Amino acid sequence: MPTPPPGFNIGAVERETGLSKDLLRMWERRYGFPRPARDPNGERQYSLDEVSKLRAIRRLMDIGMRPGKIIHQTLDELNALADTRSAVRKDEIAPPLERNLLDLLKNHDAAALQQLLAQLVMRQGLQQFVLESVTPLNRTVGDAWMRGELEVFEEHLYTEQVQVALRAAINAFPRTPSGVPRVLLTTFPNEQHGLGLLLVEALLVPEVVHCVSLGTQTPVEDIRRAAIAHKADILALSFSGAFPLRSAIDGLDMLRGLLPPHVTIWAGGEMTRRVRRTIPGIVLIPDLASTIQALRSWRAHRVPLNAA
Ligand code: B12
């Protein structure tokens, strides 16, 4: 039996695509795709073409498409489908900044990227940089990743460099331990997107707000304890579009019940655009630009517990 060309074993495909081994075997049975070769030990060996197609299917599943509907399409058809789903069509001229950023990412030019972002912060100021540059750049990077134009490691470089630029600019502001309100920032477990927290902190610090960020993925019970320990007036939580709506609402309801009423809970991020009803005791802020308004209304209506 001719030895099959070197391929990916099922463990490697699971890591590469985020699709579980069970799902891969089930699709093989149900749809006849993927159809891996077998090595002399009978182990599945997936080809590079199959892995690329599985990645494209996974990206479309992430924006809600059902695998059964797309699994028999070719890689080109899947990428064309991804194109129609991403806001900026390939042939539309993206603004120069976004084109420049994508070029630097694809050329892996981390130094030039860092310089570009640092210059933008200097020129625009932190709050304007957050609202007018980072938000559209996020979308550009997300859509390019969705179209398969950017690799995951290039998306990671983008996130790291934006975080470096934001962190440096935030740290340039004097720390305000007596700043009021005291805002605690984090995400629920399984929410890896931390940029939203940094964007909110970058908007608030110039407004003399005392921010404490726990980073991402803090268990709900620990969020309760941290809010008490840090005497938080406001808890700011971020939910990306990838976060399941039901778990977010259940978690927020539970947290509202656990936290003392004087702690205000802000929930923001793309997921909050899908919330169709008010959640008692939760301030939903889908739009980053509304953060300052939310701060002003808090200051107008609230006397913090630890005010002098
Ligand atoms: C960087 C990034 C990652 C990085 C995150 C690294 C890090 N340390 O943060 C990594 C690689 C880990 C990642 C992983 C994934 N990602 Co991702 N990611 C992104 C990307 C490119 C950048 C920015 C980002 O983090 N956005 C998330 C937040 C910051 O943006 P937002 O939800 O729109 O929120 C806005 C406002 O609401 C506000 N805001 C946010 N939080 C808060 C909180 C408060 C209190 C307030 C007031 C405001 C506020 O600020 C934001 C900017 O305006 C976005 C693209 C995009 N368009 O944003 C994709 C994106 C969010 N990711 C996506 C997906 C699908 C995933 C994965 C499931 C992919 C996968 N198959 O593995 C995983 C999920 C991992 C997990 N469990 O969380 C999709 C979500 C699609 C959807 N359903 O909506 C996006 C939109 C990409 C795309 N175009 O498809 N990702």
Side-chain angles (χ1 to χ4, degrees), residues 58 62-63 135 138-139 141-143 145-146 152 155-156 158-159 163 190-197 199-200 236-242 266-271 273-274 285-288 291:
R58 171 62 204 256
D62 287 333
I63 55 164
T135 298
N138 282 355
R139 236 188 329 273
V141 169
D143 291 337
W145 169 79
M146 241 275 296
V152 170
E155 187 186 45
H156 283 214
Y158 166 75
T159 321
Q163 289 180 342
N190 300 325
E191 177 53 87
Q192 296 172 29
H193 296 88
L195 215 45
L197 303 175
L199 295 172
V200 171
L237 297 164
S238 179
F239 302 89
S240 74
W266 288 353
E270 186 61 25
M271 184 284 302
R273 288 185 196 287
R274 300 204 302 270
I285 314 174
D287 188 17
L288 190 60
T291 310

Side-chain angles (χ1 to χ4, degrees), residues 6 29 34 46 59 66 94 99 115 144 148 155-156 185 192 198 217 255 267 274 280 298 304:
R29 278 193 308 280
Y46 297 80
R59 279 198 293 271
R66 312 181 71 74
R99 280 210 311 280
Q115 199 189 13
E155 187 186 45
H156 283 214
L185 304 106
Q192 296 172 29
L198 208 47
Q217 310 202 67
L255 207 46
R274 300 204 302 270
W298 183 92

Side-chain angles (χ1 to χ4, degrees), residues 148-226:
E149 243 176 80
L150 274 185
E151 303 282 347
V152 170
F153 75 87
E154 291 164 336
E155 187 186 45
H156 283 214
L157 177 68
Y158 166 75
T159 321
E160 277 311 304
Q161 290 302 330
V162 169
Q163 289 180 342
V164 166
L166 287 170
R167 191 46 70 209
I170 289 170
N171 291 345
F173 282 84
R175 278 292 154 191
T176 52
S178 58
V180 172
R182 301 170 67 83
V183 177
L184 184 72
L185 304 106
T186 193
T187 74
F188 279 178
N190 300 325
E191 177 53 87
Q192 296 172 29
H193 296 88
L195 215 45
L197 303 175
L198 208 47
L199 295 172
V200 171
E201 186 177 352
L203 283 181
L204 293 177
V205 166
E207 306 289 329
V208 196
V209 169
H210 180 71
C211 290
V212 176
S213 181
L214 303 179
T216 59
Q217 310 202 67
T218 308
V220 170
E221 173 49 26
D222 292 282
I223 295 177
R224 180 190 72 79
R225 282 198 217 141

